[in-house]
């Protein structure tokens, strides 16, 4: 047989008296019994985290106690009642539960007659927890520590200001004494100043002429210095350097315009045409012809905006940082240059379609194209990297060795030359592979040796007889390899 739990009943009775007299919330509630599920009205009093209930408000001894630490309280809907008991529904509309923190304890079911009274009970029980008080105490303690720190800081600042005020008072006294001394000195000098004021008029005229001559000589010397600098090699070099920069901005403006015409007058309209019901060109062919020209246009629009911002700060022209931003992104030219010949071949094949050729001529008749064909616009990006190399070479020729941008421009020029050589080698390898594949397709049975990437295309005959002779030679070579 389990022993009952002992507790200090005397202190519990004392707390019940305090709760009935000074409780946070007091009033009548209906409580459902744990055994017979019947509702009985009790007088309840909430004190700290203890809920006492009495038979009535005049009872001196509580009927029961509930410990609310770690509990939750929530509203629940009223249970449905039958038509017979609908007259008592007024007391069955405002229910709430006190749920304990473990499975072994059945929730405490309570109800109140008024909506406001029910809400007040739920709120009061939810706040009846020492853990919330501990958390609130910690928050208040942190605020107290913070305020103490602020107070100490303010005290230190006040002491510093007090010291500064004392130093300033000392400085003011010292300045006052100096002013007194200066006034006495001025009083002693007044007789001499009166003598100087009575100076001879001729001497005054001589002094004015001397002052005028000194000013004229100073201005003449400064004019000579400026003229010498304007005629100096350094100034001439700077003028040429600025002219190169201005020309580069104009060339970049023209290049961005050509790319914009290529994208807006050809690429985007052809994409729309490829999405029509009877497309004159497929989306794959559009991608093969234009490659990544739209990405190149976006890149150079950003670079062009940077150049215009630098020109706005003239005569201070700093360009090295722009090339530092541009260099890592110029690798997108590799794909365009590598597949340029292939894109022209795809365009030539598409032109055999009459509908496409007619549509392309309609685009080329646009006033913005100025009579230029699509092939011309596709060729512009091929020369942009060499144009940058030439511009940097000219810019370095007129940039002094001690100039702050010298090393950055030389680094940009070397990187562009490496990129240009890499693209040239890739174009050569790509064209060699394509020509070998074209010859392999001309052989009826195929020639696996031509599929080897190490094979190099040497030349192509100008006559049909020479081509047939070379083909027969390749067939003979292929048969010997197979044998």
């Amino acid at each position: 047989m389990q022993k009952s739990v002992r507790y200090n009943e005397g202190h519990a009775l004392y707390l019940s008296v305090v709760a009935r007299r000074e409780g946070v919330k007091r009033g009548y509630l209906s409580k459902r019994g744990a055994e017979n599920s019947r509702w009985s009205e009790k007088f309840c009093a909430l004190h700290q985290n203890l809920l006492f209930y009495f038979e009535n408000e005049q009872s001196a001894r509580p009927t029961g106690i509930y410990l609310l630490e770690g509990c939750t309280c929530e509203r629940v809907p009223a249970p449905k009642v039958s038509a017979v008991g609908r007259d008592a529904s007024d007391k069955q509309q405002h229910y709430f539960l006190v749920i304990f923190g473990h499975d072994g304890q059945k929730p405490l079911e309570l109800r109140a007659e008024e909506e406001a009274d029910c809400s007040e009970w739920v709120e009061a029980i939810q706040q009846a927890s020492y853990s919330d008080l501990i958390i609130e105490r910690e928050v208040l303690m942190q605020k107290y520590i913070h305020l103490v720190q602020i107070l100490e800081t303010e005290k230190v600042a006040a002491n510093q200001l007090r010291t500064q005020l004392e130093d300033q008072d000392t400085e003011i006294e010292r300045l006052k004494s100096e002013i007194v001394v200066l006034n006495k000195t001025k009083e002693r000098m007044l007789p001499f100043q009166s003598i100087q004021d009575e100076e001879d008029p001729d001497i005054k005229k001589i002094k004015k002429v001397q002052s005028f001559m000194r000013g004229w000589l100073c201005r003449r010397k400064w004019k000579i210095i400026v003229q010498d600098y304007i005629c100096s090699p350094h100034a001439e070099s700077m003028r040429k350097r600025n002219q190169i920069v201005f020309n580069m901005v104009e060339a970049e403006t023209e290049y961005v315009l050509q790319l914009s015409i290529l994208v807006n007058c050809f690429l985007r309209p052809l994409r729309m045409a490829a999405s029509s019901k009877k497309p004159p060109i497929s989306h794959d062919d559009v991608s093969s012809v234009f490659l990544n020209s739209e990405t190149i246009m976006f890149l150079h629009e950003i670079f062009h905006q940077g150049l215009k911002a630098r020109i706005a700060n003239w005569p201070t022209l700093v360009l090295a940082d722009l090339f530092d931003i541009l260099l890592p992104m110029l690798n997108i030219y590799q794909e365009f240059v590598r597949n340029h010949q292939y894109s022209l071949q795809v365009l030539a094949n598409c032109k055999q379609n009459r509908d496409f050729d007619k549509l392309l001529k309609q685009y080329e008749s646009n006033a913005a194209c100025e009579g230029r064909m699509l092939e011309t616009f596709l060729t512009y990006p091929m020369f942009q990297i060499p144009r940058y190399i030439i511009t940097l070479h000219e810019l370095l020729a007129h940039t002094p060795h001690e100039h702050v941008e010298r090393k950055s421009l030389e680094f940009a020029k070397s990187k562009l030359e490496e990129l240009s050589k890499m693209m040239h080698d890739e174009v050569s390898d790509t064209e060699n592979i394509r020509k070998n594949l074209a010859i392999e397709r001309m052989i009826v049975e195929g020639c696996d040796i031509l599929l080897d990437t190490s094979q190099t295309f040497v030349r192509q005959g100008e006559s049909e007889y020479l081509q047939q002779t070379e083909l027969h030679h390749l067939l003979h070579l292929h048969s010997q390899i197979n044998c």
Side-chain angles (χ1 to χ4, degrees):
M1 179 177 178
Q2 293 182 353
K3 293 182 179 181
S4 60
V5 179
R6 296 182 180 179
Y7 69 100
N8 48 348
E9 183 179 358
H11 187 64
L13 294 175
Y14 167 74
L15 292 177
S16 68
V17 174
V18 175
R20 191 174 55 184
R21 186 175 62 248
E22 302 175 359
V24 177
K25 181 66 179 173
R26 291 165 292 171
Y28 282 96
L29 292 174
S30 296
K31 172 181 172 297
R32 171 173 280 183
E35 298 178 356
N36 53 14
S37 300
R38 295 182 58 185
W39 291 91
S40 58
E41 190 174 44
K42 303 289 184 182
F43 180 78
C44 299
L46 178 64
H47 177 66
Q48 296 179 356
N49 60 347
L50 299 175
L51 179 63
F52 300 91
Y53 62 93
F54 307 81
E55 289 296 332
N56 50 55
E57 190 173 358
Q58 286 75 28
S59 299
R61 186 180 183 86
T63 306
I65 305 173
Y66 283 100
L67 299 178
L68 301 180
E69 185 65 30
C71 300
T72 58
C73 185
E74 58 184 24
R75 294 284 298 271
V76 294
K80 295 182 179 179
V81 296
S82 61
V84 177
R86 193 170 295 173
D87 56 346
S89 61
D90 291 337
K91 295 186 179 181
Q92 299 174 358
Q93 291 180 356
H94 313 296
Y95 290 75
F96 61 96
L97 292 178
V98 177
I99 302 172
F100 301 92
H102 54 90
D103 297 334
Q105 180 70 41
K106 184 179 178 181
L108 174 61
E109 299 182 47
L110 301 170
R111 72 183 183 188
E113 294 182 3
E114 301 293 335
E115 172 74 19
D117 195 27
C118 179
S119 300
E120 291 176 0
W121 274 105
V122 171
E123 183 178 359
I125 293 174
Q126 286 177 347
Q127 296 177 356
S129 174
Y130 272 112
S131 60
D132 296 337
L133 294 176
I134 292 173
I135 294 173
E136 186 176 357
R137 179 182 177 278
E138 290 295 330
V139 173
L140 293 175
M141 184 59 67
Q142 293 294 331
K143 291 182 179 179
Y144 171 74
I145 294 173
H146 180 64
L147 291 174
V148 169
Q149 292 176 350
I150 293 175
L151 180 62
E152 293 297 328
T153 305
E154 292 296 330
K155 287 182 179 179
V156 173
N159 291 331
Q160 292 177 352
L161 289 175
R162 193 177 296 108
T163 304
Q164 291 179 0
L165 289 174
E166 292 175 356
D167 295 340
Q168 289 176 357
D169 291 338
T170 305
E171 183 67 18
I172 290 172
E173 293 297 330
R174 187 184 64 82
L175 292 175
K176 286 181 179 179
S177 60
E178 290 183 359
I179 291 172
V180 171
V181 173
L182 289 174
N183 288 334
K184 291 181 179 180
T185 306
K186 185 177 179 181
E187 291 176 357
R188 289 196 300 268
M189 293 295 295
L190 283 176
F192 298 99
Q193 289 180 357
S194 60
I195 295 173
Q196 291 178 356
D197 292 338
E198 298 174 359
E199 196 173 29
D200 191 0
D202 293 335
I203 295 177
K204 290 183 178 181
K205 292 179 181 179
I206 293 172
K207 288 183 177 180
K208 287 183 179 180
V209 172
Q210 289 177 344
S211 176
F212 173 77
M213 289 299 298
R214 284 195 296 269
W216 180 79
L217 289 174
C218 183
R219 289 191 295 271
R220 183 171 178 272
K221 186 176 181 180
W222 178 247
K223 182 179 179 180
I224 293 173
I225 293 173
V226 173
Q227 288 178 349
D228 290 343
Y229 176 75
I230 292 175
C231 299
S232 66
H234 182 269
E236 182 67 21
S237 178
M238 289 297 101
R239 284 194 292 272
K240 290 181 179 179
R241 187 177 188 272
N242 291 338
Q243 187 61 41
I244 292 170
V245 175
F246 296 150
N247 294 337
M248 183 177 69
V249 175
E250 292 177 359
E252 191 70 21
T253 303
E254 180 67 20
Y255 181 55
V256 171
L257 177 62
Q258 306 308 331
L259 290 177
S260 177
I261 295 173
L262 174 64
V263 172
N264 295 322
C265 296
F266 293 99
L267 171 58
R268 291 172 181 171
L270 285 176
R271 280 180 181 169
M272 295 178 63
S275 301
S276 61
K277 293 183 179 179
K278 295 180 180 181
I281 185 173
S282 65
H283 283 286
D284 292 338
D285 289 340
V286 172
S287 300
S288 299
V289 170
F290 292 95
L291 303 172
N292 56 352
S293 55
E294 192 170 15
T295 306
I296 293 175
M297 182 192 72
F298 292 147
L299 171 62
H300 283 277
E301 283 179 346
I302 297 171
F303 183 65
H304 183 235
Q305 292 295 329
L307 284 177
K308 290 197 297 185
R310 295 301 188 276
I311 293 298
N313 294 329
W314 190 86
T316 303
L317 292 177
V318 180
L319 302 176
D321 58 336
L322 286 179
F323 280 99
D324 291 340
I325 299 173
L326 182 66
L327 283 175
M329 303 180 185
L330 288 180
N331 292 327
I332 61 175
Y333 272 94
Q334 288 182 271
E335 179 184 354
F336 189 93
V337 174
R338 186 189 307 122
N339 298 291
H340 178 65
Q341 291 297 330
Y342 176 69
S343 68
L344 295 180
Q345 292 176 7
V346 173
L347 178 60
N349 294 335
C350 292
K351 280 187 174 181
Q352 295 178 4
N353 185 347
R354 293 182 179 179
D355 295 336
F356 175 78
D357 187 55
K358 181 179 178 181
L359 183 63
L360 183 61
K361 288 181 180 178
Q362 180 183 349
Y363 294 157
E364 290 174 347
S365 63
N366 192 332
C369 298
E370 299 178 351
R372 290 170 290 184
M373 301 175 64
L374 175 58
E375 290 86 343
T376 304
F377 290 98
L378 289 173
T379 309
Y380 285 133
M382 297 290 293
F383 305 104
Q384 191 61 22
I385 300 299
R387 185 180 292 114
Y388 281 146
I389 295 174
I390 294 172
T391 301
L392 287 177
H393 180 76
E394 295 176 350
L395 199 61
L396 286 170
H398 298 287
T399 301
H401 290 280
E402 66 276 4
H403 197 277
V404 67
E405 290 191 300
R406 179 78 187 191
K407 292 183 179 180
S408 299
L409 293 177
E410 287 177 348
F411 176 76
K413 177 173 172 290
S414 64
K415 287 295 181 182
L416 287 173
E417 289 174 347
E418 291 177 6
L419 180 61
S420 178
K421 184 178 182 302
M422 187 186 306
M423 290 191 297
H424 179 270
D425 295 340
E426 289 181 353
V427 169
S428 301
D429 294 340
T430 304
E431 289 303 311
N432 178 70
I433 293 172
R434 285 178 180 157
K435 290 179 180 178
N436 286 342
L437 288 174
I439 295 174
E440 195 271 341
R441 292 190 190 100
M442 295 171 63
I443 302 174
V444 178
E445 298 180 357
C447 183
D448 295 338
I449 193 172
L450 291 176
L451 298 178
D452 187 1
T453 57
S454 62
Q455 301 297 323
T456 304
F457 179 82
V458 179
R459 65 187 177 89
Q460 182 175 357
E462 297 178 355
S463 65
E464 183 179 357
Y465 172 75
L466 179 58
Q467 293 178 5
Q468 291 178 355
T469 304
E470 291 178 347
L471 286 175
H472 286 303
H473 177 68
L474 288 171
L475 285 172
H476 178 68
L477 178 63
H478 179 59
S479 61
Q480 288 181 351
I481 293 174
N482 290 333
C483 293

